[in-house]
Amino acid sequence: MSATALLCEPARLDWSQPGGPRAQDFGDVYFSVEDGLEETRSVFLRACGLPEAWQGKPVFTVGELGFGTGLNALALWALWRAQGNPSGWLHLVSVEKHPLTRQDAERALSAWPQLKPMTHRLLQQWPSLFKGPHRLIFPEDRFSITIFQDEAEAALTQMDMRADAWFLDGFAPACNAAMWSQSVLDQIGRLSRPGARIGTFTVAGAVRRGLAQAGFEVSKQPGFGRKRERLEAIYGGKGEPTVSSQAPILIRGAGIAGASLARALRVRGREVRVIDPNGVAGGASSAPAGLLTPRLEKADRPHVRATLAAFDFARRLYEPLAEFHPTGVDRLAKDGKEAERFSDLAGLMGEGYAWTGEMLEMAASGWFEPAALVTRLLGEVPVAREGERGDGEILIHATGAHFDLDGDITPSAGRVGVFKGRVPDRPLSWGGYLAPTPQGDVLLGATHIKGWAPGEGDAALSAFHQDLAARRADLAETIDPLPVSSWGGVRASTPDRLPVAGLVSEDTYVLSGLGSRGFAHAPLLAELIASQICHEPLPLERGAIEVFRPQRFAERRARRGG
Ligand SMILES: Cc1cc2nc3c(=O)[nH]c(=O)nc-3n(C[C@H](O)[C@H](O)[C@H](O)COP(=O)(O)OP(=O)(O)OC[C@H]3O[C@@H](n4cnc5c(N)ncnc54)[C@H](O)[C@@H]3O)c2cc1C
């Protein structure tokens, strides 16, 4: 695997046969040509004891090898909607090395008109080709899908969950041995709750022996349609008591971090309250306008996968909201070296990223109205100006630069200016940036000053205008050179410029260190913390969770003996 390939190779489909697509590289079908949906119900859903098995469980997790067209996901979702556990949440955590394009998935799934309402919602959130996990959430149905886009063994090694059921739906062992290796089957054991059930279409001897070696009791069952047999298996050991704490949650801080946390926990039915002495969006999350752009890095590393997934997650969350404007954003290169980097990145990031010879066009990016977005995400959650932590309350610090992490979170002040002028169709960035404001003005920014004081900054803001004039005189001459107003705020920086998210002490979590991209990174990191609190499968790779762990700086110091 190339360390610079950020994208998976999409599946190459052969549509020439009747009954559905075949994977060209594996020479196998995605679903039974007889009746794929009925086969899914028999080989996976009923084999795993559904719907009975999820009754009484606050969180029920299904693992899957081979997301494919998403047919199993839709069949599971349909059963959950019809006979689900009204007080529970269903998670499907799947693995796919060669994702289908949205167009191919749409074509394949058109064979099942009875699934159309869910198909439409799945396709709306269909993930990009970025490697690593992608979480899709359907809160109205209390259902999530997390697709790890990677080689099966690599993906499973990076998962953190306790599955109650598994659908082993890779291409047949004869076509795709890597999907059924002993290491893969051992990982399935590691990730299973005692009593977890497996359904699969294959009865290959190596799979039976491998599952037994991984701790499963395996039995052959009558097969579906023309297939003689299929397998069921149960993971050994006694059932663990399901953890179902419903402790109320206090969030300190009502910026984008606090609002994302409040939303993630509220949709899970948790009791949440927020305290902020400055009210809603009284800190850094209240600039006149902001840009939603991905962090641009070329290497395939855990934090790069996570920040790209976070950008995609935020984009999906904001897309239907009026406070987000999906205009795309252009990024100018400042010199030849950066031009080369952006040109490489356009190739590495695929659909939606294009290098024009002058700038990187980022179609999925856009601008937003920060305070209004925070207010929208908070919804009905009450925000008080003062109050104390109650007995038994879980606490989450979302206090931006105010969070004291042994000096590892530091303030970085900044100011943006609002100018009169012609509002650009598309925001532009070059180190500085230009964006529309909701009032129809133009925003130019932003300064970076160590410490808490953003300064007065008119001279610094006029310098952005001159900077723009040197790069795009055509745009600069439509904008007045002096600002009519300005806004200052304080970012929370960390030594490695990555956020801080996770447990700090018993029942106490933090989400901070969001730097210059809080609106891109907060929603998925909030989803991570909500999943940790609710004992759900985690939406990030284990490697990425380590990267964001609050203790990392202290541990690095300890290793250096400092
Ligand atoms: C000039 C500038 C431009 C920026 N532009 C962009 C952009 O274009 N795109 C982007 O994504 N990001 C941008 N950012 C970064 C973004 O604003 C931050 O990453 C984000 O707002 C951080 O959100 P937060 O919720 O962690 O912190 P904040 O929004 O600062 O919220 C923290 C809250 O905690 C409260 N608080 C403090 N102490 C306590 C306490 N003891 N108890 C309770 N509450 C407390 C504060 O009142 C504050 O409201 C910009 C930042 C600046 C300064």
Side-chain angles (χ1 to χ4, degrees), residues 291-421:
L291 295 189
L292 181 75
T293 54
R295 204 179 138 112
L296 299 172
E297 282 187 73
K298 292 199 315 190
D300 178 25
R301 302 192 34 215
H303 76 272
V304 178
R305 289 184 178 199
T307 53
L308 290 173
F311 168 77
D312 278 359
F313 185 84
R315 176 64 163 72
R316 287 194 293 269
L317 177 67
Y318 301 155
E319 178 141 29
L321 308 181
E323 298 79 12
F324 176 66
H325 305 273
T327 49
V329 172
D330 296 330
R331 173 78 200 242
L332 285 172
K334 64 173 184 284
D335 53 29
K337 200 167 160 212
E338 202 169 68
E340 205 175 306
R341 192 168 88 86
F342 288 167
S343 154
D344 290 351
L345 273 162
L348 288 168
M349 296 176 81
E351 197 184 348
Y353 296 88
W355 172 245
T356 65
E358 186 200 6
M359 57 198 183
L360 180 66
E361 292 177 341
M362 301 181 284
S365 293
W367 69 277
F368 53 86
E369 303 164 32
L373 198 50
V374 169
T375 307
R376 169 77 77 151
L377 295 182
L378 278 166
E380 307 289 299
V381 175
V383 178
R385 296 226 172 215
E386 54 185 32
E388 292 306 318
R389 181 181 190 174
D391 270 354
E393 227 172 7
I394 293 172
L395 173 63
I396 316 179
H397 297 280
T399 50
H402 296 271
F403 184 70
D404 180 7
L405 187 71
D406 292 339
D408 289 319
I409 293 179
T410 51
S412 164
R415 188 167 284 283
V416 290
V418 177
F419 296 72
K420 290 286 171 197

Side-chain angles (χ1 to χ4, degrees), residues 251-259 275-287 289-293 368 398-402 412-416 433 446-447 487-492 511-521:
I251 299 168
R252 288 200 190 280
I256 187 63
I275 294 178
D276 192 318
N278 295 310
V280 175
S285 306
S286 57
L291 295 189
L292 181 75
T293 54
F368 53 86
T399 50
H402 296 271
S412 164
R415 188 167 284 283
V416 290
Y433 59 90
T447 60
W487 172 91
V490 180
R491 309 171 188 88
L511 173 52
S512 176
L514 291 165
S516 300
R517 280 208 173 73
F519 285 78
H521 296 162

Side-chain angles (χ1 to χ4, degrees), residues 69-241:
T69 61
L71 177 61
N72 295 341
L74 294 175
L76 177 72
W77 188 0
L79 184 64
W80 176 251
R81 274 163 59 110
Q83 296 178 63
N85 165 8
S87 57
W89 193 291
L90 175 64
H91 285 270
L92 173 67
V93 182
S94 192
V95 176
E96 181 55 65
K97 184 181 175 194
H98 295 296
L100 269 68
T101 62
R102 190 195 312 254
Q103 294 75 9
D104 277 337
E106 186 168 12
R107 184 170 168 190
L109 293 170
S110 65
W112 323 109
Q114 63 273 52
L115 298 174
K116 203 165 175 190
M118 282 96 67
T119 305
H120 176 70
R121 287 161 67 194
L122 175 62
L123 292 171
Q124 267 181 334
Q125 294 204 33
W126 197 258
S128 69
L129 286 173
F130 287 133
K131 286 179 182 165
H134 297 256
R135 174 156 290 186
L136 321 179
I137 69 168
F138 306 95
E140 322 73 47
D141 288 341
R142 305 172 327 281
F143 177 50
S144 306
I145 302 177
T146 311
I147 309 174
F148 279 68
Q149 296 190 159
D150 210 336
E151 190 78 60
E153 186 181 344
L156 291 165
T157 309
Q158 288 296 332
M159 283 181 193
D160 197 344
M161 66 169 183
R162 300 295 263 166
D164 301 280
W166 287 93
F167 303 165
L168 304 193
D169 197 19
F171 295 120
C175 312
N176 186 16
M179 187 71 123
W180 305 90
S181 70
Q182 191 58 48
S183 323
V184 164
L185 301 178
D186 287 343
Q187 285 295 332
I188 291 175
R190 174 182 76 81
L191 294 166
S192 291
R193 209 184 281 287
R197 294 172 70 161
I198 286 184
T200 183
F201 59 87
T202 182
V203 284
V207 174
R208 281 185 281 133
R209 288 188 293 279
L211 282 172
Q213 194 176 320
F216 288 88
E217 198 179 299
V218 185
S219 64
K220 280 188 189 171
Q221 302 290 334
F224 173 80
R226 277 179 291 176
K227 289 185 192 150
R228 217 155 47 89
E229 293 173 313
R230 61 182 173 84
L231 285 189
E232 288 183 11
I234 299 185
Y235 194 56
K238 293 213 166 60
E240 292 169 350

